[in-house]
Amino acid sequence: MIFPRMRARRGTMRALLGAAVVATALLPVPCAFAEGGTGSAAASPPPPQADPASPALGFRGPDTAIVVLGYGLLPDGGMRPELLARLHAGFAQALLAPASPVIVTGGNPRNGVTEAQAMARWLIAHGIPAERIVVEPDAASTAQNAAHSARIMRDIGARDAVVVTSADHIDRALRDFLGAGVDVVATVTPDQVPMPASPFGTPA
């Protein structure tokens, strides 16, 4: 039998080991933006960009929030592969920036569970301290993800954010967060997470 305290210690050790492996293997990765959308490049403005001088995955301080965007749950409240992939990316960033608060945002409940609640449970189960995680369980769209996260950031004193979502969703998310007044210093997609981080993002 494993007591809760022993489980917590095991999760913390796993997270620390994951941070060491990721930090050792990680090379700076520039922010990546999907080219989604319709029409020609000449007909539409270039996508907004986060600070090009800062790598997507990297060390951040307590003034920078890590914001992981939700994705629709299964009818039973389980998480789809798309959301798990976003969590892998957010988990890697959380390991590399242990002082940063983590905001998980998403409503749309299924079987009594919201996207944000499911994400928070997963992160805690993988060793991210519960006190680092802020749950935003009401957003039903990307625009609401941005607006609600901006409010939370003001409340907790975060000045800027690393936004974590899928590569084909980055452009829209970035526009909405900038529109909500959030200073986005970097973005993270599952494609940017190094392979050594993968074992630390799989279910226990």
Side-chain angles (χ1 to χ4, degrees), residues 32-37 47-48 165-176:
F33 300 93
E35 295 188 12
T165 188
S166 308
D168 60 359
H169 185 235
I170 271 294
D171 286 353
R172 188 173 80 187
L174 189 52
R175 284 193 174 93
D176 284 346

Side-chain angles (χ1 to χ4, degrees), residues 1-16 121-130 204:
M1 180 176 181
I2 300 176
F3 293 98
R5 182 172 296 179
M6 189 176 296
R7 284 180 176 170
R9 287 179 180 173
R10 182 174 294 179
T12 301
M13 290 301 297
R14 187 178 183 183
L16 291 173
R121 292 173 185 172
W122 188 95
L123 290 169
I124 293 169
H126 287 79
I128 302 301

Side-chain angles (χ1 to χ4, degrees), residues 65-71 79 83 86-91 94 100-107 114-124 128-130 132-139 141 144-146 148-153 156 162-164 177:
I66 301 166
V67 184
V68 187
L69 305 192
Y71 190 85
M79 293 187 290
L83 183 52
R86 294 181 186 186
L87 279 169
H88 291 164
F91 177 77
S100 292
V102 181
I103 300 171
V104 287
T105 170
T114 66
E115 297 163 10
Q117 290 168 337
M119 289 190 287
R121 292 173 185 172
W122 188 95
L123 290 169
I124 293 169
I128 302 301
R132 285 186 64 189
I133 301 172
V134 183
V135 177
E136 188 293 293
D138 299 320
S141 66
Q144 290 182 7
N145 289 144
H148 296 178
S149 296
R151 172 182 50 78
I152 290 171
M153 287 175 60
I156 65 177
V162 173
V163 175
V164 182
F177 271 77

